[in-house]
Amino acid sequence: MKNKYIGKWRIREMEHWDQNFIDLDTPGYFLFEKDKSGHFHFVAIEGEIDYRIEEVGEVERIEFSWVGHDEGDPVSGRGWAVIDGNEMHGKIYFHMGDGSWFKAKRKTK
């Protein structure tokens, strides 16, 4: 099965932050690598991802756990996303904290 999630996805919208805040340090993104790992960065939050592709009913989605930092403080959580055309949407959760839906678009070279 081809992994259609591999690559860099530019975050275009989030539930709790506007685009200027999403891009506070660097343009917000999710990056999924071939080896089931990845990275993300938005606002002042950055993290390392460990993911798996799962079937939920008849829908394929990527599910991930993550560890990272928010302004230097350790944070962790989980998330999921699905692809619809050239857009990915899903939700990212903070352990013992809030969650936020997001929309991202595949970054082309």
Side-chain angles (χ1 to χ4, degrees):
M1 173 175 31
K2 183 177 182 209
N3 184 342
K4 61 186 178 182
Y5 294 89
I6 291 173
K8 193 168 191 177
W9 297 81
R10 174 78 164 93
I11 301 172
R12 306 308 285 161
E13 191 176 352
M14 293 188 86
E15 182 175 8
H16 296 294
W17 302 283
D18 67 21
Q19 195 68 51
N20 286 335
F21 208 54
I22 292 168
D23 300 339
L24 184 66
D25 288 340
T26 189
Y29 70 89
F30 285 95
L31 173 67
F32 297 102
E33 304 282 355
K34 291 179 185 177
D35 63 356
K36 298 183 180 172
S37 69
H39 301 89
F40 70 87
H41 193 121
F42 59 87
V43 189
I45 305 159
E46 57 185 318
E48 294 182 28
I49 291 172
D50 173 22
Y51 75 84
R52 302 293 182 272
I53 298 172
E54 303 286 342
E55 297 258 344
V56 179
E58 295 186 19
V59 176
E60 178 187 278
R61 75 181 194 180
I62 192 166
E63 296 186 4
F64 58 91
S65 60
W66 62 270
V67 295
H69 293 89
D70 180 1
E71 294 185 2
D73 295 326
V75 289
S76 63
R78 61 186 174 85
W80 63 268
V82 296
I83 293 176
D84 183 11
N86 209 26
E87 184 175 271
M88 179 171 60
H89 63 273
K91 194 151 186 177
I92 186 166
Y93 300 92
F94 292 79
H95 182 70
M96 304 295 287
D98 292 332
S100 177
W101 57 258
F102 64 87
K103 293 180 183 176
K105 187 166 180 141
R106 186 180 295 279
K107 186 164 166 95
T108 57
K109 295 182 187 208

